[in-house]
Amino acid sequence: MIRHLIPALACIALSACTILPKVEDKPVSHAIAAPQHGTASTTSRRINRQLAKDQSAFLLLEEAKEGLDWRLALIDSATSSIDIQLYLWHQGASSSLIFFRALQAAERGVRVRILVDDFLLNSNEPALAALCREHPNFDVRIFNPGRVRNNSFGALAEWASNFRSLNRRMHNKTFTVDRSLSIVGGRNIGDHYYGMDRNYNFIDLDVLASGPVVDDISDGFDAFWNSSHTFPGTHLSSKRMDSAVQTYQTSLRTSMEEDFAEELRNYPLDRQDWSRMLGKLPAGMHFGKAEFIQDHPEVHEDNRQLVRTLEEVQARKQGEVTVVSPYLLPSDASIENIKNAEANGVDIRILTASLEANNQPLVDGHYRKIRARLVDNGAEVHEFRPDPNPQVRADADVPPVVAKRITLHAKTIVVDNRRSFIGSLNLDPRALDINTESGLLIDSKPLANELNEWLEELYSSDNSWAVSRDANGKVQWQSRDTTRTTEPPAKWSRKLMSRISGLLPIRDQL
């Protein structure tokens, strides 16, 4: 009965919806070669002259403000191309600023390509389509979009009838200019990532790269941009709109000056000269060999390359593995591997989010079921606090904004204090089995040392709860001067969502 009901409901819903057309003539485009002039490419060449064969250079971006500063610096310094690939583009202060500066770059002749997943796309689609049609240097593509637009019931019906296909999302995050400098990591575009949200801000992590690995990142962007799953922004709507570029620029400037003036107090609205900051970049970077890893955009060719590579790396581990994943739902086999590794003398430390420091409480409902097993199998488990010390809070908040709580969003793995993975991958079924992911695997002892110093502060008793068992075998949480045998405090609504989630058979979708 239900099998026949879903198509019928879909037909009713679709009758009142905007339906995306099928596009047969989507143009193919590729990264533009690094230019011979411009601040970004010149800086990159200065860095690359210091590199040994097969090496690249890296700068960790641990603070929210530096994450946004470097993105603005790259946009403003670009002379030929900007390629941005994201899972989320949330409307707000930071997104308005980045979009405005990207439009300024397009106006001066820089080709801008933005590839964003469709799952939580929130945009005025007629205006965006008109902008892409009008501006020769500005283009947007949407990954795996639902064809039903502007109708929530119709979109839900489409998801119900086409779940397997639409459930696969692009979680990759890369940001490349002039095929010279790239940012890879966990940050999307949205105020939580850049210290501008008053409810919660993220502790997150990116890495800025120069060297031959940038070519691999750029080629990876092209693979997704030209894949069969991307939809041209020009076709999101056929509605005509005159002077779309001017309308967008005026609207963005108005919102930045009137709606987001306080949040953007630390940022210039218009293009700036970043040559001083870029001039200091070569001296601040770590050198090492790196591999850019991403899953294949095409379903039939996706062999979960990122997961396979990380499994191989950890299989060769010797002494210590440090893992940070805000959403932690490893498989039964992975939990058993922890037990075997610990038996062989490998120390495994895991930092995840406590319930109040997790922006996805549904995940917590299933993490709670495995927490004790992780401890029993020998892992050193910590849960990040929503009220960290001032030093850590300063990485997440950007004054004058002070968030009510700080949540964990960084994703990284450090093996034997030498090899580091920084990227988009969480250790949960959605990341490991469903979505596409990307990241950098970096072999650099100096970078791993700096990363571990930062992680030590997150793991400290000031900023996380250490989970263990007490003398009676009961799970306990220790932090600062407190030991408790009940879970750390969280709002009742989050507790309720966690408990309900834990009762539902949805683990493989989290």
Side-chain angles (χ1 to χ4, degrees):
M1 178 67 178
I2 294 177
R3 181 167 56 89
H4 298 292
L5 180 60
I6 289 176
L9 290 173
C11 289
I12 296 171
L14 295 181
S15 64
C17 296
T18 300
I19 308 296
L20 293 183
K22 291 186 177 181
V23 178
E24 306 292 346
D25 58 346
K26 182 174 65 179
V28 173
S29 69
H30 296 283
I32 300 171
Q36 295 302 308
H37 59 89
T39 309
S41 58
T42 300
T43 301
S44 178
R45 285 196 297 273
R46 284 181 54 213
I47 296 167
N48 297 348
R49 283 196 290 268
Q50 303 177 46
L51 302 175
K53 184 180 179 182
D54 298 329
Q55 280 191 328
S56 294
F58 308 96
L59 178 73
L60 292 175
L61 306 181
E62 299 152 351
E63 299 175 7
K65 188 174 188 307
E66 67 181 348
L68 183 52
D69 279 342
W70 276 109
R71 283 167 171 84
L72 295 175
L74 295 191
I75 291 173
D76 291 349
S77 303
T79 59
S80 64
S81 64
I82 298 171
D83 291 334
I84 302 173
Q85 180 180 14
L86 296 166
Y87 174 57
L88 300 177
W89 191 297
H90 283 303
Q91 290 185 345
S94 58
S95 61
S96 297
L97 182 60
I98 290 176
F99 202 90
F100 184 72
R101 297 284 263 277
L103 267 180
Q104 286 186 329
E107 288 285 88
R108 64 177 188 267
V110 178
R111 187 189 70 178
V112 178
R113 297 187 297 176
I114 298 175
L115 174 60
V116 63
D117 187 83
D118 185 53
F119 181 53
L120 290 176
L121 178 67
N122 183 7
S123 175
N124 182 336
E125 295 187 2
L128 184 61
L131 173 65
C132 293
R133 288 194 297 267
E134 181 178 315
H135 207 300
N137 298 323
F138 197 95
D139 201 2
V140 175
R141 287 189 179 177
I142 314 301
F143 185 83
N144 195 19
R147 294 189 64 201
V148 180
R149 319 302 289 184
N150 307 319
N151 185 298
S152 298
F153 182 73
L156 183 62
E158 183 189 18
W159 264 80
S161 61
N162 197 19
F163 178 78
R164 185 170 183 178
S165 174
L166 291 176
N167 192 39
R168 184 174 184 260
R169 309 314 317 172
M170 180 189 73
H171 199 237
N172 311 39
K173 304 165 184 68
T174 66
F175 197 111
T176 303
V177 303
D178 289 352
R179 200 174 168 101
S180 299
L181 297 169
S182 293
I183 297 174
V184 174
R187 291 184 176 99
N188 291 290
I189 302 298
D191 290 349
H192 303 297
Y193 302 92
Y194 303 108
M196 297 184 186
D197 191 272
R198 286 175 170 76
N199 184 21
Y200 67 90
N201 282 320
F202 286 132
I203 285 291
D204 216 330
L205 179 67
D206 293 318
V207 61
L208 172 64
S210 179
V213 76
V214 174
D215 288 333
D216 298 331
I217 298 169
S218 190
D219 291 342
F221 178 93
D222 283 349
F224 271 82
W225 181 265
N226 295 311
S227 77
S228 64
H229 297 288
T230 59
F231 187 86
T234 53
H235 290 61
L236 283 171
S237 173
S238 59
K239 184 177 179 180
R240 294 184 59 84
M241 181 180 295
D242 295 330
S243 303
V245 174
Q246 183 60 46
T247 300
Y248 247 106
Q249 289 180 321
T250 301
S251 174
L252 288 169
R253 182 174 287 280
T254 299
S255 67
M256 290 188 296
E257 291 177 345
E258 297 180 4
D259 301 329
F260 306 125
E262 188 172 11
E263 289 86 347
L264 297 176
R265 192 171 72 184
N266 294 291
Y267 301 95
L269 301 189
D270 291 294
R271 183 190 184 193
Q272 298 295 300
D273 180 3
W274 299 87
S275 55
R276 177 174 296 183
M277 190 168 80
L278 283 160
K280 297 178 181 178
L281 180 60
M285 302 187 86
H286 300 300
F287 301 161
K289 295 184 178 181
E291 180 181 0
F292 177 67
I293 320 162
Q294 70 175 14
D295 297 317
H296 203 285
E298 305 296 342
V299 176
H300 62 279
E301 296 186 52
D302 187 2
N303 62 0
R304 313 311 296 166
Q305 181 60 39
L306 181 52
V307 175
R308 290 174 58 237
T309 301
L310 290 180
E311 287 175 346
E312 291 170 4
V313 168
Q314 293 184 71
R316 296 196 300 268
K317 59 189 175 289
Q318 299 173 10
E320 184 176 272
V321 178
T322 299
V323 176
V324 179
S325 179
Y327 320 129
L328 184 67
L329 294 176
S331 65
D332 289 339
S334 294
I335 297 175
E336 191 64 26
N337 287 340
I338 291 173
K339 182 177 181 180
N340 296 334
E342 289 284 347
N344 292 329
V346 179
D347 294 325
I348 298 178
R349 296 195 309 166
I350 301 173
L351 176 66
T352 190
S354 64
L355 176 56
E356 189 64 16
N358 192 329
N359 71 314
Q360 300 291 347
L362 294 180
V363 177
D364 183 83
H366 290 267
Y367 160 69
R368 293 174 64 250
K369 298 179 180 181
I370 64 166
R371 175 169 45 208
R373 288 176 58 199
L374 291 170
V375 172
D376 292 343
N377 281 7
E380 180 185 327
V381 179
H382 294 253
E383 296 179 2
F384 185 73
R385 296 181 61 119
D387 56 344
N389 65 21
Q391 178 180 338
V392 170
R393 176 173 278 277
D395 286 345
D397 285 339
V398 177
V401 174
V402 177
K404 295 177 182 177
R405 59 191 174 96
I406 304 300
T407 64
L408 184 68
H409 196 261
K411 309 106 169 34
T412 187
I413 300 172
V414 185
V415 180
D416 297 335
N417 202 34
R418 183 179 185 93
R419 286 171 292 178
S420 307
F421 171 79
I422 300 171
S424 67
L425 184 81
N426 296 296
L427 297 185
D428 59 23
R430 175 155 291 279
L432 298 172
D433 302 324
I434 302 172
N435 291 346
T436 68
E437 307 283 351
S438 65
L440 282 172
L441 181 61
I442 304 169
D443 189 340
S444 169
K445 191 172 181 62
L447 181 136
N449 285 337
E450 182 185 340
L451 181 53
N452 271 330
E453 286 181 12
W454 182 65
L455 295 178
E456 284 298 329
E457 188 63 30
L458 300 186
Y459 273 92
S460 74
S461 61
D462 244 6
N463 301 307
S464 71
W465 298 92
V467 185
S468 60
R469 288 193 184 271
D470 64 17
N472 297 318
K474 189 174 180 62
V475 174
Q476 64 179 4
W477 288 259
Q478 296 173 293
S479 181
R480 297 170 183 168
D481 296 324
T482 302
T483 299
R484 54 186 303 128
T485 54
T486 58
E487 289 192 56
K491 288 184 177 179
W492 70 266
S493 57
R494 302 177 68 77
K495 290 181 178 180
L496 180 62
M497 291 178 67
S498 173
R499 298 304 189 271
I500 292 175
S501 171
L503 297 174
L504 300 176
I506 58 174
R507 185 185 189 280
D508 62 347
Q509 296 299 316
L510 297 173

